[in-house]
Amino acid sequence: MTNMKTYNKYIAAIALSLVLASCKAPMATVIKDEVKENVPQNFNQEDQGDANNNSGTTPWRQFFTDPNLVSLIETALKNNQELMITLQEIEIAKSGVLAKKGRLTPTVSAGIGAGVKKAGRYTSEGAGDATTEIEPGKEMPDPLGNFEGGLMANWEIDIWKKLRTEKESAVAHYLSTVEGKNFVLSNLIEEIADNYYELLALDNQLDIIQQYTKLQQKALEISKIQKEAATATELAVKKFEAELAKSKATEYTIRQQITEKENEINALCGRFPQPIIRSKDDFMTTIPQTVYTGIPSQLLANRPDIKQAELELKSAKLDVEAARKEFYPSLEISATLGLEAFKPSYLVKMPESIAYNLAGELAGPLINKSAIKANFQTADARQIQSLYEYDKTILNAYLDVANLMSKVKNIDQYYKLKSEETKALEQSIDIANQLFRNSRADYLEVLLNQRDALDAKMELVEAKQKQLSTVVDIYKSLGGGWK
């Protein structure tokens, strides 16, 4: 008896040692957010920034004042397919949270079953059944049936808070998808506005090329009159005819670009091709809004892509913690309660037909932990990868704003100089035409002057479009558009 007690103690000690050995888990890589900690105080040395003024916090309905553009944005927010896809990703992530939350509570199920069993006569079970009487004079039936029904429960006790950690990771991922939706909103509004301004620019360029075509038509008529008067040659006539054909061809090219741009906007709005309602008359006189950048640290709170990356990093860290706890033993409790008998009529006889079971199991991995190690190493690598993604997002956000701030200043100066160039060339057109009528300038001077004026006008329109689009881009880069 003493030897048996000693043997049991050894068995218990060995089992305890094995359980403790299974609790050894590797350490996760310690990561540090150096990029976030070292965000500059301002976007450049000249601009110190003002924390009270930040255009990124302005709602898009207040930022955009063109009613036609506002209407397009509203349509896109209702129908854009990419946005709808993102909303479904949020629903998927929400279901993931519910799934993780469900593992914290017991699983209870109900079931019924029926079966039949024939044990060998010369076995302990068969011999026992043959000599058992259910009632006086009634032996156990052979073969023996089995009918049962009841409730079954299973519950993993979260002793290491592994399940809670997994749920927290799922919540962080869900919140990141919400921020991802906000980023899609911001990008969508930017795309609509940029394409809208490009469409207005094409409308104005079409007007310019049509005016240029009329100018070339008049120049061709003058050259023909001068040819008849022997003050010009056939070469001048052909040159003006070629220039007229070139300008007409350019007109059709612009018309095609307008069609494609309209359809691009319609695609963003999630609808089939239809005319885009717009007013081109005030395009060249539109004054871009003044944009206030605030301070760089505000990007961390304003830009949804940064918040999304931060939440994904948090989720990845929690995944590593949960994967590490896979090395610890798990405690599961299972229970059943129901009725069981070899005849259906006996199921209602109680308490004889009542059957129950309650068991607890503490088990941990001992040998061949390669799958658990691989899962942990994967989670650890992903958290490092998420850190790099987060750092890259912050860095790119800062560079976006810094570059666009410089672009705003430079494009304003570019537009002013292009305006001066256009005015000078428009005046020179009248002078050249007058000289050509009086045979004091040849046709080449007229052609070159008109081409230079055309190019300057087209570039001026492009400059206005870039001026307006740059303001939209910096508004989005500051985190505006999704509120």
Side-chain angles (χ1 to χ4, degrees):
M1 186 70 178
T2 303
N3 291 336
M4 181 61 67
K5 289 182 178 180
T6 303
Y7 179 75
N8 290 336
K9 289 180 180 179
Y10 286 145
I11 294 295
I14 292 173
L16 181 61
S17 299
L18 292 174
V19 170
L20 293 175
S22 69
C23 292
K24 292 183 179 180
M27 298 300 295
T29 303
V30 179
I31 59 177
K32 188 177 181 181
D33 246 346
E34 295 183 358
V35 172
K36 179 180 178 180
E37 294 175 357
N38 297 325
V39 173
Q41 297 297 318
N42 46 69
F43 288 104
N44 55 55
Q45 295 181 353
E46 298 176 0
D47 182 13
Q48 297 301 318
D50 183 0
N52 296 323
N53 290 324
N54 190 321
S55 297
T57 60
T58 305
W60 67 267
R61 291 179 184 275
Q62 298 177 15
F63 188 81
F64 298 104
T65 57
D66 188 329
N68 295 321
L69 176 56
V70 170
S71 177
L72 287 173
I73 293 175
E74 290 176 342
T75 303
L77 295 182
K78 293 178 183 177
N79 302 328
N80 182 262
Q81 282 82 10
E82 184 177 355
L83 181 58
M84 298 299 107
I85 293 171
T86 304
L87 292 176
Q88 295 309 307
E89 290 177 358
I90 293 177
E91 293 300 318
I92 293 172
K94 187 187 295 185
S95 299
V97 174
L98 294 176
K100 296 297 182 182
K101 184 178 179 181
R103 293 186 60 190
L104 289 168
T105 56
T107 300
V108 181
S109 58
I112 58 175
V116 64
K117 182 178 180 181
K118 174 68 172 70
R121 178 66 179 81
Y122 300 111
T123 62
S124 59
E125 183 180 357
D129 291 344
T131 58
T132 300
E133 291 186 356
I134 303 304
E135 295 178 2
K138 293 184 179 180
E139 296 182 352
M140 292 281 281
D142 189 20
L144 187 65
N146 185 60
F147 301 90
E148 59 184 357
L151 301 176
M152 293 154 281
N154 189 67
W155 187 18
E156 180 180 352
I157 307 299
D158 195 19
I159 54 178
W160 310 110
K161 295 185 178 181
K162 179 189 72 173
L163 300 180
R164 289 183 179 86
T165 303
E166 291 179 349
K167 189 197 78 170
E168 290 174 3
S169 173
V171 170
H173 177 66
Y174 162 72
L175 294 175
S176 76
T177 60
V178 174
E179 295 299 337
K181 181 264 295 182
N182 293 335
F183 188 57
V184 171
L185 280 175
S186 185
N187 281 337
L188 177 60
I189 291 173
E190 179 199 30
E191 284 189 73
I192 290 287
D194 284 345
N195 282 284
Y196 180 76
Y197 290 137
E198 288 177 16
L199 182 59
L200 293 181
L202 288 171
D203 288 339
N204 280 266
Q205 287 181 334
L206 181 61
D207 289 343
I208 291 172
I209 201 67
Q210 288 174 341
Q211 294 171 6
Y212 181 72
T213 300
K214 293 178 181 178
L215 188 64
Q216 291 302 311
Q217 185 68 49
K218 291 180 180 179
L220 175 60
E221 293 172 358
I222 294 173
S223 66
K224 289 180 178 179
I225 294 172
Q226 289 184 338
K227 177 193 171 187
E228 293 176 359
T231 57
T233 64
E234 181 69 15
L235 180 60
V237 175
K238 294 302 179 184
K239 281 288 186 180
F240 281 114
E241 286 180 350
E243 191 68 17
L244 179 60
K246 179 182 177 182
S247 60
K248 288 182 178 181
T250 303
E251 179 180 342
Y252 287 105
T253 300
I254 295 176
R255 288 186 183 277
Q256 177 61 27
Q257 291 174 345
I258 289 174
T259 300
E260 293 177 359
K261 188 59 62 178
E262 283 186 319
N263 289 338
E264 190 172 346
I265 294 175
N266 283 319
L268 291 172
C269 292
R271 63 191 187 187
F272 288 102
Q274 57 183 275
I276 302 297
I277 300 174
R278 58 194 185 273
S279 177
K280 62 183 178 180
D281 297 333
D282 299 331
F283 177 72
M284 295 304 295
T285 57
T286 302
I287 300 176
Q289 290 197 27
T290 303
V291 179
Y292 301 98
T293 59
I295 55 178
S297 59
Q298 292 175 335
L299 291 176
L300 303 179
N302 291 342
R303 282 190 54 140
D305 58 332
I306 293 180
K307 291 192 285 185
Q308 181 185 19
E310 184 178 15
L311 288 166
E312 286 294 346
L313 176 60
K314 179 181 178 181
S315 178
K317 288 180 179 179
L318 292 170
D319 285 339
V320 174
E321 186 179 343
R324 187 171 183 269
K325 291 175 181 178
E326 290 286 349
F327 290 91
Y328 301 159
S330 60
L331 175 61
E332 291 190 9
I333 296 177
S334 59
T336 58
L337 175 64
L339 304 175
E340 186 175 13
F342 58 80
K343 283 186 178 181
S345 59
Y346 287 164
L347 287 173
V348 296
K349 290 187 177 182
M350 291 183 284
E352 290 83 0
S353 62
I354 294 177
Y356 61 85
N357 175 56
L358 178 65
E361 180 182 19
L362 180 66
L366 292 178
I367 302 174
N368 192 10
K369 301 179 183 179
S370 57
I372 300 176
K373 289 179 180 178
N375 184 45
F376 171 78
Q377 291 170 355
T378 300
D380 193 41
R382 282 179 177 165
Q383 76 153 341
I384 298 174
Q385 186 182 52
S386 297
L387 174 64
Y388 292 149
E389 288 288 345
Y390 180 52
D391 291 344
K392 183 181 74 172
T393 305
I394 294 176
L395 181 60
N396 288 342
Y398 178 88
L399 293 176
D400 282 346
V401 177
N403 289 337
L404 288 169
M405 285 176 59
S406 175
K407 186 176 181 181
V408 165
K409 295 177 181 178
N410 291 327
I411 199 68
D412 286 344
Q413 295 299 320
Y414 177 81
Y415 182 78
K416 290 178 182 178
L417 294 173
K418 276 295 174 183
S419 297
E420 295 176 5
E421 178 188 2
T422 302
K423 290 178 181 178
L425 288 172
E426 283 179 347
Q427 294 172 357
S428 66
I429 287 177
D430 295 334
I431 297 172
N433 288 338
Q434 188 64 34
L435 292 174
F436 182 63
R437 291 190 188 96
N438 297 327
S439 301
R440 296 179 60 187
D442 60 27
Y443 65 91
L444 288 177
E445 291 178 305
V446 176
L447 277 175
L448 291 175
N449 192 73
Q450 290 177 348
R451 286 180 183 176
D452 290 342
L454 173 65
D455 292 341
K457 288 181 179 180
M458 301 289 268
E459 290 171 359
L460 182 63
V461 172
E462 290 179 0
K464 173 57 69 174
Q465 177 264 314
K466 290 179 181 178
Q467 195 180 42
L468 296 172
S469 292
T470 301
V471 171
V472 174
D473 294 342
I474 196 171
Y475 171 65
K476 175 253 181 181
S477 297
L478 290 170
W482 60 271
K483 294 183 181 180

